[in-house]
Structures are given as C-alpha cells and as structure tokens.
Amino acid sequence: MLYLVHMIVDIPSTVSAEEAARIKAEEKAYSQALQHSGKWPHLWRVVGEYANYSVFDVESNDELHDTLSRLPLFPFMKITVTPLAKHPSAIK
C-alpha cells in the first residue's frame, strides 16, 4: 500500500543542540535504512521549511504507524497521512 506522508518537524528550544544533533543522526540512519529496504521510496524536502513529503510503500496501516512511530524525531513531528490508490488515467 502506498501512502503520502507530510512531516513537519518542530524541535523545542529546550532540547540541547547536542541532543538534537544526536537525534537527527539517528533519524538519518533509520530513514536511509528504510529507503534501502524499499519501504520509503520517495523523500522530498519542502523548500524553506523543516518539513518533507514522503511516499511509503508498506503492507498496512499498522505497519506505517509502527514505522513512523519509530522515527527518532517522531515526538517532534506533526504528521499527515494520505492513503494512495492507482489513478485510472495513469499510464504506469
């Protein structure tokens, strides 16, 4: 199943720069592992924001929830999920 996921990150100023850097490094490693596995085939930055649009390819709503909740930045994210279906006019 494909999902379009919009993630907006807001790390509070109470998180030290060192802790934020550690969390971001863990986030990068986890997200790249998901990309290599094919579960996170598309990741785009939103220009001028600490946000992204991503496409996830997972088996179920539960798997997507589990995957997203394991993101190290998850506690600092506002996430919107849109399930996707093949469009009848799409050529691929």
Side-chain angles (χ1 to χ4, degrees), residues 12-69:
S13 60
T14 55
V15 176
S16 72
E18 295 80 15
E19 178 68 3
R22 183 192 63 75
I23 294 168
K24 289 175 190 178
E26 289 178 8
E27 180 88 7
K28 183 175 183 176
Y30 179 59
S31 69
Q32 288 181 346
L34 289 168
Q35 290 172 69
H36 286 297
S37 76
K39 292 183 183 288
W40 194 338
H42 300 285
L43 170 59
W44 295 280
R45 172 182 292 175
V46 177
V47 176
E49 298 179 25
Y50 195 172
N52 72 72
Y53 280 98
S54 296
V55 173
F56 284 83
D57 187 358
V58 293
E59 293 299 316
S60 67
N61 294 337
D62 290 332
E63 183 180 359
L64 179 64
H65 180 79
D66 183 58
T67 300
L68 295 175
S69 66

